[in-house]
Amino acid sequence: MSIQKRLTLLILSMVVLTCFLAFTKGYRESMEQAQHLLDNELKTLAHVLIEQPIHGSTVTLSSDLPDLMFQVWLDQRLISSSALLKTKPLEQKQWQKELSVENFAGQRMRVYRLQVGNKHVLVAEPLSKRFALTESVILSAMTPLLWSVPLLAILISLFVKQGLKPLTRLSRQLQQRQANDFTAIDWQVTAAEVKPVISRLNDLFKRVESAYLRERFFASDAAHELRTPLSSLKINVHNLQGQGIDSVELQAMAKGIDKLSNIVEQMLILGRTYPEQWQAQFNPQSVLQVSQQVVAQLYDQIDNKGHTISLEGEDFIIAGDEFTLTTLFSNLLSNAIKYTPANGQIMIRLLQQSGQCLWQIDDSGPGIDDSQKQRIFNRFYRVGGDKHASSEQGTGLGMAIVEHIVGIYNGKINLSDSPFGGLRVEVMFMQGNADE
């Protein structure tokens, strides 16, 4: 949930809760005041009735005021009453109560009794009528406040949105930025909370850009500069060997130059594998066709070690680049060839499952411990170091390059144990990159 929604709901909840408590208290107090006023009206009416002169001694039943409920008694004799109260009053001792709530004439009533000399007056009012009247008055006063809550919610939302506008604008700008865009945020803001954030972000962008450029270009520039002297050394060693000079030291030098040349080439590849460089030139690629080309390129190494290799599964098309896919599959297959003993088994499978396109390779090599499966993606890291049991030469950059290329495709790579006893590597391409 966004800050704007959370803040709006929080403020609105507090307002609604406050209004509810205020309405509850206001309703209770209004009811008490209304009851007090209506009781005073009953008392006033009783005093008016008791002061009326009595003509004769016969009982007069009044029907002129149908909403008025009263009884007038003189010496225990009913001389006047409303049409609804023709019953006898309660016992004499109960006349001492001025105000009470009683069952009278089949209803719950608020009753007031008044005695002056030998003259008694009883005035009553149904509680239902009283409550209906008071609730009607109170609700008519409070209804406008209730209707104002939705309007208040709209106003709160607008004010919160306006107040968070600088933060929303900053969030939108950061969301739309490319990963390699380190330009400063150039817009003026007066909000005291946002201004230091922008200042610190600009400082951070500057530092990250500097570190990014150093990391990006140093390795590739250094590798590029090393290619020429390495080529010269390689030629000189070849010429010496051609002249019949083939000592143990010269052979070691040739191997060292080959290893260093391999490191340089891997560093150049690593410097080129940046998503923004490759994604712009993606086009449909047949994963099966690229896999077949990689197997063909490395078949001499496979044949020299007597490996059995198989390529299974149905082809699938992804949006990609032939060079990066070839480098990805070649590095993984090269590792399988290096670390699988002679006469071992290698299997490549192409699968489509759960909306994903899967490239999988299994080998019958020694495999990798679980503790080292994540470390092999670190640059220049090799399982067992330079003293690997296979005695194979390596740079420690192959799996780092694999991870970079998988990142270009927004894919995932997973390492697990192979049924053949070695390592299983799974590269998952998302369905968004596939054209099934």
Side-chain angles (χ1 to χ4, degrees):
M1 184 181 294
S2 66
I3 296 177
Q4 177 181 334
K5 290 182 179 179
R6 187 181 296 111
L7 194 56
T8 300
L9 289 177
L10 179 61
I11 295 176
L12 186 58
S13 299
M14 293 173 61
V15 170
V16 171
L17 178 60
T18 303
C19 289
F20 175 76
L21 295 176
F23 291 161
T24 303
K25 184 174 178 60
Y27 178 82
R28 186 181 297 112
E29 292 183 353
S30 298
M31 285 292 289
E32 291 176 358
Q33 294 178 6
Q35 295 296 329
H36 181 68
L37 291 175
L38 292 173
D39 286 344
N40 288 337
E41 288 185 2
L42 283 180
K43 293 178 180 180
T44 302
L45 181 58
H47 283 87
V48 171
L49 290 175
I50 207 167
E51 295 295 333
Q52 295 296 316
I54 300 174
H55 303 285
S57 59
T58 58
V59 177
T60 304
L61 299 178
S62 173
S63 60
D64 297 335
L65 301 172
D67 295 332
L68 183 61
M69 296 185 183
F70 68 95
Q71 289 180 338
V72 180
W73 293 75
L74 181 63
D75 294 330
Q76 302 298 317
R77 185 166 56 90
L78 182 64
I79 60 174
S80 180
S81 73
S82 61
L84 296 177
L85 295 181
K86 298 179 182 179
T87 60
K88 286 186 177 182
L90 300 179
E91 296 180 6
Q92 183 68 24
K93 62 180 181 179
Q94 292 183 328
W95 284 94
Q96 299 173 1
K97 294 183 179 181
E98 292 188 350
L99 286 168
S100 61
V101 177
E102 304 170 14
N103 291 324
F104 210 80
Q107 301 183 62
R108 292 286 289 175
M109 292 194 181
R110 184 70 165 170
V111 179
Y112 178 72
R113 293 176 173 82
L114 179 62
Q115 179 179 357
V116 177
N118 61 349
K119 193 174 183 180
H120 302 80
V121 172
L122 179 147
V123 182
E125 183 178 28
L127 288 180
S128 59
K129 177 183 176 182
R130 175 177 285 213
F131 288 151
L133 177 61
T134 53
E135 287 182 355
S136 176
V137 172
I138 294 171
L139 291 178
S140 64
M142 291 186 174
T143 298
L145 295 178
L146 294 174
W147 282 108
S148 67
V149 172
L151 177 61
L152 187 61
I154 296 174
L155 293 177
I156 289 174
S157 178
L158 293 176
F159 289 147
V160 170
K161 183 178 181 180
Q162 184 65 26
L164 295 177
K165 195 172 182 179
L167 186 59
T168 304
R169 180 182 175 186
L170 176 61
S171 175
R172 189 180 298 113
Q173 280 202 10
L174 293 176
Q175 188 176 13
Q176 293 174 350
R177 275 180 173 248
Q178 297 295 326
N180 61 340
D181 184 4
F182 302 108
T183 57
I185 301 174
D186 186 19
W187 53 279
Q188 299 297 323
V189 61
T190 57
E193 295 82 3
V194 181
K195 193 172 182 178
V197 174
I198 295 177
S199 176
R200 295 297 180 270
L201 281 175
N202 287 337
D203 291 341
L204 180 62
F205 286 153
K206 188 175 180 179
R207 294 183 182 183
V208 172
E209 182 181 23
S210 177
Y212 174 80
L213 293 176
R214 284 199 306 270
E215 190 275 337
R216 177 173 182 178
F217 295 116
F218 173 76
S220 58
D221 290 345
H224 182 75
E225 293 297 326
L226 287 172
R227 294 180 80 179
T228 300
L230 283 174
S231 298
S232 178
L233 283 173
K234 199 169 186 178
I235 292 173
N236 290 330
V237 170
H238 180 74
N239 290 337
L240 289 174
Q241 291 176 335
Q243 295 174 7
I245 304 174
D246 194 12
S247 63
V248 175
E249 292 80 3
L250 195 61
Q251 291 179 3
M253 183 182 296
K255 289 183 178 180
I257 292 173
D258 289 340
K259 181 178 179 180
L260 188 56
S261 297
N262 188 26
I263 293 175
V264 169
E265 293 301 324
Q266 296 280 28
M267 289 174 66
L268 285 173
I269 293 173
L270 193 59
R272 296 177 61 189
T273 54
Y274 286 89
E276 64 274 10
Q277 179 180 356
W278 299 104
Q279 291 176 352
Q281 59 188 36
F282 275 1
N283 52 65
Q285 297 291 333
S286 168
V287 175
L288 177 61
Q289 184 176 348
V290 175
S291 300
Q292 290 172 339
Q293 292 174 357
V294 169
V295 172
Q297 292 172 4
L298 300 177
Y299 190 75
D300 288 342
Q301 299 179 29
I302 297 171
D303 187 54
N304 289 338
K305 297 189 72 173
H307 290 159
T308 300
I309 187 169
S310 58
L311 177 59
E312 301 179 357
E314 298 181 359
D315 188 20
F316 54 82
I317 307 298
I318 66 171
D321 172 80
E322 183 177 356
F323 174 78
T324 54
L325 286 176
T326 300
T327 304
L328 171 64
F329 299 154
S330 178
N331 280 0
L332 292 175
L333 180 56
S334 294
N335 282 343
I337 296 171
K338 284 181 181 180
Y339 302 116
T340 299
N343 302 317
Q345 186 175 0
I346 299 173
M347 175 182 289
I348 299 173
R349 299 181 66 192
L350 309 183
L351 304 171
Q352 298 184 54
Q353 57 185 19
S354 302
Q356 295 178 336
C357 300
L358 186 67
W359 191 91
Q360 176 182 292
I361 182 170
D362 290 281
D363 63 60
S364 59
I368 301 176
D369 294 338
D370 292 339
S371 60
Q372 295 181 317
K373 284 179 181 177
Q374 292 302 319
R375 296 186 63 190
I376 65 171
F377 294 109
N378 297 336
R379 297 182 184 183
F380 304 108
Y381 176 80
R382 295 190 69 206
V383 177
D386 292 333
K387 298 181 180 180
H388 194 275
S390 65
S391 300
E392 292 286 349
Q393 298 293 323
T395 64
L397 287 173
M399 293 304 290
I401 293 173
V402 165
E403 187 180 40
H404 274 268
I405 295 176
V406 171
I408 291 175
Y409 288 86
N410 297 320
K412 295 180 181 178
I413 184 168
N414 181 53
L415 306 181
S416 59
D417 296 332
S418 170
F420 300 152
L423 180 67
R424 165 176 286 183
V425 181
E426 294 175 329
V427 179
M428 289 162 281
F429 300 95
M430 298 299 104
Q431 190 174 25
N433 286 334
D435 183 10
E436 300 181 12

